[in-house]
């Protein structure tokens, strides 16, 4: 598997996947909690993510091709490292499953594709498995080829609805600061899209002056996410909580701008490629997590690990994932905060300590 990538490719992935996960079920869920102030939640959480990304990029600049497991094993110890990877695994698998259920809702609501979960999951799983067999480099190259048309379709879906939005619906702003803070804590799970960079630390090609490009792409993707949510709230006001998934409800306003059929379907179907790219990214992260937990380093695809990912994807057949997730996150938000916020803030220190230990004791990458 070829996982070699450069920071420019990772920056473009951030630009594509950040809006993707914020345009489906999240806006309606936030609207139920904070009304038309939901855009403030998204903007604040993305600002926190930007700070964490800065620390992570700092660590990338300090790192000398060590994997995350090497760094953790040499600094916090192997038992703690395994706990961190278990938390990571739970985080990315749940993100993957919730993203799939949201994408399934889009196909049902917008394209009237009525199929059962297996009919939707099997082709998506085959896509993720193929991407795993080819390595992360294949995901990055596909994203490079598609990101321009994805962003163009995204803009086309937002421009006309924005001209028809009633921006007065956003007022008054920040009427309940306490509720906003509580919502940010409870819904932090849907953020931190930068975590995939952890699993590519040893595969990132050395480059100079890449941090500004990465940050610009992150900020651009974040602005798209905030703008879409403000348009959504301005269109539907206090009833936004009842309209789900958000992107389907916003994009349908583009119908009135066309005299040549449902162009919104064309734009939406192309934009949905960003969701499938994001699913492949999460599948890669889950695969690498399990390789680190079970200490498997075979260059060939491990089908036992792929089977575990498949089983996780079948959970919506057993119970309503989102309903149970909202209850579970009351507890899971605390361990998830370790990998979302504490780890990136400490990564520069951990990388420095790992390298010092290498120089002092002669510890090598084989330590892990």
């Amino acid at each position: 598997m070829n996982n070699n990538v450069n920071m420019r490719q990772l920056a473009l992935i951030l630009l594509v996947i950040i809006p993707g996960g914020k345009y489906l079920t999240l806006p309606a869920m936030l609207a139920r909690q904070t009304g038309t102030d939901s855009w403030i939640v998204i903007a604040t959480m993305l600002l926190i993510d930007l700070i964490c990304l800065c620390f992570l990029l700092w660590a990338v600049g300090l790192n000398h091709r060590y994997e995350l497991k090497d760094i953790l094993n040499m600094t916090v110890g192997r038992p703690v490292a395994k706990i961190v990877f278990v938390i990571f695994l739970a985080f990315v698998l749940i993100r993957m499953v919730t993203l799939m259920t949201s994408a399934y809702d889009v196909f049902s609501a917008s394209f009237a594709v009525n199929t059962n979960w297996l009919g939707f999951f099997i082709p998506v799983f085959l896509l993720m498995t193929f991407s795993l067999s080819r390595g992360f480099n294949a995901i990055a190259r596909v994203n490079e080829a598609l990101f321009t048309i994805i962003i163009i379709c995204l803009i086309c879906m937002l421009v006309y609805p924005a001209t028809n939005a009633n921006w007065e619906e956003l007022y008054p702003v920040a009427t309940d600061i306490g509720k906003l803070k509580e919502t940010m804590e409870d819904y932090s799970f849907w953020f931190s899209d930068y975590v995939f960079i952890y699993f590519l630390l040893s595969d990132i090609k050395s480059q100079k002056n890449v941090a500004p490009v990465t940050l610009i792409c992150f900020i651009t993707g974040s602005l798209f996410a905030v703008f879409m949510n403000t348009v959504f709230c301005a269109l539907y006001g206090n009833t936004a909580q009842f309209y789900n998934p958000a992107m389907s409800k916003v994009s349908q306003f583009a119908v009135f701008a066309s005299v040549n059929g449902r162009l919104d379907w064309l734009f939406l179907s192309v934009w949905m490629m960003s969701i499938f790219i994001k699913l492949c990214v999460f599948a890669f992260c889950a695969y690498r997590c399990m390789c680190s937990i079970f200490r498997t380093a075979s260059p060939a695809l491990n089908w036992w690990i792929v089977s575990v990912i498949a089983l996780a994807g079948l959970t919506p057949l057993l119970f309503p994932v989102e309903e149970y997730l909202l209850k579970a996150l009351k507890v899971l938000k605390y361990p998830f905060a370790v990998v979302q916020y504490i780890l990136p803030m400490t990564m520069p220190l951990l990388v420095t300590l790992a390298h010092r230990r290498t120089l002092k004791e002669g510890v090598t990458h084989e330590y892990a």
Side-chain angles (χ1 to χ4, degrees):
M1 293 183 288
N2 180 10
N3 295 318
N4 290 322
V5 291
N6 57 52
M7 282 305 301
R8 176 181 173 276
Q9 291 174 315
L10 299 186
L12 293 180
I13 289 177
L14 283 171
L15 175 57
V16 169
I17 69 173
I18 288 174
K22 313 296 181 295
Y23 283 8
L24 300 176
T25 58
L26 181 61
M29 287 192 291
L30 293 178
R32 283 195 289 271
Q33 301 298 315
T34 62
T36 55
D37 284 339
S38 57
W39 67 272
I40 300 177
V41 175
I42 292 181
T44 304
M45 296 306 297
L46 287 172
L47 178 60
I48 295 173
D49 283 356
L50 176 61
I51 296 171
C52 292
L53 178 61
C54 289
F55 278 89
L56 184 54
L57 292 178
W58 182 9
V60 170
L62 296 172
N63 189 39
H64 296 160
R65 307 284 282 189
Y66 275 104
E67 293 184 13
L68 177 62
K69 67 176 181 179
D70 300 323
I71 296 169
L72 293 178
N73 285 340
M74 289 189 288
T75 53
V76 298
R78 186 168 290 154
V80 176
K82 283 190 178 293
I83 294 173
V84 171
F85 279 113
V86 169
I87 296 172
F88 259 129
L89 179 62
F91 179 77
V92 295
L93 282 179
I94 297 174
R95 285 289 301 270
M96 183 188 75
V97 173
T98 54
L99 187 59
M100 279 193 289
T101 57
S102 299
Y104 177 75
D105 290 340
V106 172
F107 278 91
S108 300
S110 297
F111 303 116
V113 178
N114 295 318
T115 182
N116 59 26
W117 180 253
L118 282 177
F120 173 78
F121 171 72
I122 290 175
V124 173
F125 174 70
L126 291 175
L127 171 65
M128 293 190 296
T129 303
F130 178 75
S131 70
L132 287 174
S133 68
R134 304 298 294 177
F136 197 89
N137 183 265
I139 302 174
R141 288 185 176 275
V142 169
N143 185 75
E144 277 186 303
L146 295 178
F147 94 94
T148 300
I149 189 172
I150 289 173
I151 296 301
I152 290 174
C153 289
L154 174 59
I155 294 172
C156 291
M157 285 191 292
L158 293 179
V159 169
Y160 188 78
T163 62
N164 286 269
N166 180 11
W167 298 101
E168 293 182 358
E169 291 285 354
L170 300 179
Y171 297 104
V173 177
T175 55
D176 190 341
I177 301 298
K179 188 65 175 178
L180 287 174
K181 181 177 179 295
E182 179 185 349
T183 303
M184 290 175 196
E185 294 175 357
D186 292 342
Y187 287 81
S188 59
F189 164 78
W190 274 268
F191 296 87
S192 302
D193 293 320
Y194 59 83
V195 294
F196 69 92
I197 298 177
Y198 286 118
F199 304 98
L200 294 163
L201 288 177
S202 64
D203 302 300
I204 299 174
K205 299 176 183 177
S206 179
Q207 291 175 287
K208 295 182 178 179
N209 301 321
V210 294
V213 176
T214 307
L215 295 177
I216 289 171
C217 287
F218 181 92
I219 292 170
T220 303
S222 299
L223 290 176
F224 274 123
V226 174
F227 179 68
M228 183 274 170
N229 200 74
T230 55
V231 171
F232 176 65
C233 292
L235 286 171
Y236 294 103
N238 292 325
T239 65
Q241 60 182 301
F242 303 111
Y243 291 93
N244 196 33
M247 197 55 176
S248 298
K249 304 307 179 183
V250 170
S251 65
Q252 69 184 13
F253 279 82
V255 175
F256 305 110
S258 172
V259 293
N260 296 312
R262 294 296 301 269
L263 284 180
D264 65 310
W265 282 3
L266 174 63
F267 298 146
L268 186 60
S269 59
V270 173
W271 172 79
M272 284 294 294
M273 295 178 188
S274 67
I275 303 300
F276 297 120
I277 291 172
K278 191 167 187 174
L279 286 171
C280 292
V281 169
F282 281 144
F284 173 82
C285 295
Y287 184 88
R288 281 250 161 147
C289 275
M290 283 184 276
C291 285
S292 297
I293 293 171
F294 300 111
R295 302 181 66 187
T296 61
S298 172
L301 196 64
N302 188 310
W303 289 102
W304 289 106
I305 293 179
V306 173
S307 299
V308 174
I309 296 174
L311 290 174
L314 293 175
T315 51
L317 286 173
L318 305 177
F319 54 84
V321 172
E322 290 187 359
E323 179 182 335
Y324 280 79
L325 176 63
L326 292 177
K327 298 176 182 178
L329 284 177
K330 298 292 185 181
V331 176
L332 291 177
K333 64 182 179 182
Y334 297 109
F336 286 167
V338 173
V339 297
Q340 288 183 267
Y341 306 114
I342 297 176
L343 184 60
M345 295 287 190
T346 57
M347 274 302 292
L349 175 61
L350 295 177
V351 170
T352 301
L353 292 176
H355 284 232
R356 285 181 180 176
R357 180 171 180 184
T358 300
L359 295 174
K360 183 177 180 180
E361 303 180 9
V363 180
T364 66
H365 288 61
E366 283 72 30
Y367 178 90

